[in-house]
C-alpha cells in the first residue's frame, strides 16, 4: 500500500490503543457468536469450557484475517491509522492465518509475544516476525484522495 509511512516504527502506545479498539469489536463478535451457539444447542455453555474458547477463537479469526488480507487493517488499526505492511509479496491467506494463530499464542506466556515489541528495533511482535510483517503509520492525505475518487 502506498499510503504507509516508512519513517519508522509505530509507537507502542498507538498499537496498544488499536488493540483496545479491536477488543471492542471482539466483544461484539463474542456476543453474536455466543447468541448463535445458544440458539443452536439450546443449553448453557460454561464460559471456561475449552471447546467454547476454541469456538470463540475461530469466530474471531475472520475479523483479523480478512482485515489484514483485504486492506491491511482491522477496525482498531484503521481508527489509529495503522497499516499492516508485508515485508515481502502481498500477505496471502496462509501467512495471514499463521499471523493470527501466532498472535493468539503470543498472549499465552503473559503477553510476551507483544512485550517483544519493546525490545525489537522495528517494534515487531512475534506474529510480525513469523509472518514477515510490520505495522506502519498511514498518511491521511492519500486515503482521503482515494476516497474522493470513488
Amino acid at each position: 500500500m502506498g499510503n504507509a509511512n516508512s519513517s519508522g516504527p509505530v509507537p507502542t502506545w498507538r498499537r496498544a490503543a488499536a488493540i483496545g479498539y479491536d477488543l471492542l469489536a471482539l466483544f461484539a463478535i463474542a456476543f453474536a457468536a455466543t447468541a448463535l451457539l445458544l440458539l443452536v444447542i439450546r443449553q448453557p455453555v460454561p464460559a471456561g469450557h475449552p471447546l467454547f474458547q476454541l469456538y470463540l477463537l475461530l469466530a474471531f479469526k475472520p475479523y483479523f484475517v480478512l482485515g489484514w488480507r483485504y486492506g491491511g487493517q482491522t477496525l482498531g488499526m484503521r481508527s489509529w491509522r495503522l497499516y499492516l505492511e508485508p515485508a515481502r509479496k502481498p500477505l496471502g491467506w496462509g501467512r495471514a492465518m499463521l499471523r493470527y494463530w501466532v498472535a493468539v499464542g503470543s498472549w499465552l506466556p503473559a503477553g510476551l509475544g507483544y512485550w517483544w515489541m519493546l525490545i525489537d528495533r522495528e517494534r515487531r511482535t512475534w506474529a510480525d516476525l513469523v509472518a514477515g510483517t510490520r505495522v506502519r503509520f498511514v498518511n491521511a492525505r492519500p486515503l482521503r484522495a482515494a476516497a474522493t475518487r470513488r
Side-chain angles (χ1 to χ4, degrees), residues 51-74:
L51 287 178
F52 179 63
Q53 298 297 318
L54 178 61
Y55 170 74
L56 288 179
L57 288 175
L58 292 173
F60 297 155
K61 188 169 83 166
Y63 171 76
F64 289 102
V65 171
L66 292 173
W68 294 332
R69 176 83 173 87
Y70 297 110
Q73 297 174 307
T74 61

Side-chain angles (χ1 to χ4, degrees), residues 112 115-124:
L112 187 59
W115 290 110
W116 190 261
M117 78 174 97
L118 298 174
I119 315 170
D120 190 87
R121 281 185 305 143
E122 294 184 47
R123 293 197 182 96
R124 294 172 296 180

Side-chain angles (χ1 to χ4, degrees), residues 25-98:
L26 293 181
F27 284 129
I29 293 168
F31 181 82
T34 301
L36 178 64
L37 181 65
L38 292 174
L39 282 173
V40 171
I41 65 170
R42 299 186 184 271
Q43 62 183 357
V45 178
H49 194 282
L51 287 178
F52 179 63
Q53 298 297 318
L54 178 61
Y55 170 74
L56 288 179
L57 288 175
L58 292 173
F60 297 155
K61 188 169 83 166
Y63 171 76
F64 289 102
V65 171
L66 292 173
W68 294 332
R69 176 83 173 87
Y70 297 110
Q73 297 174 307
T74 61
L75 292 175
M77 293 172 77
R78 181 175 287 256
S79 298
W80 286 93
R81 296 184 0 201
L82 303 179
Y83 168 72
L84 186 67
E85 178 183 79
R88 52 188 188 277
K89 60 186 175 177
L91 189 66
W93 289 107
R95 281 184 29 232
M97 285 190 264
L98 175 65

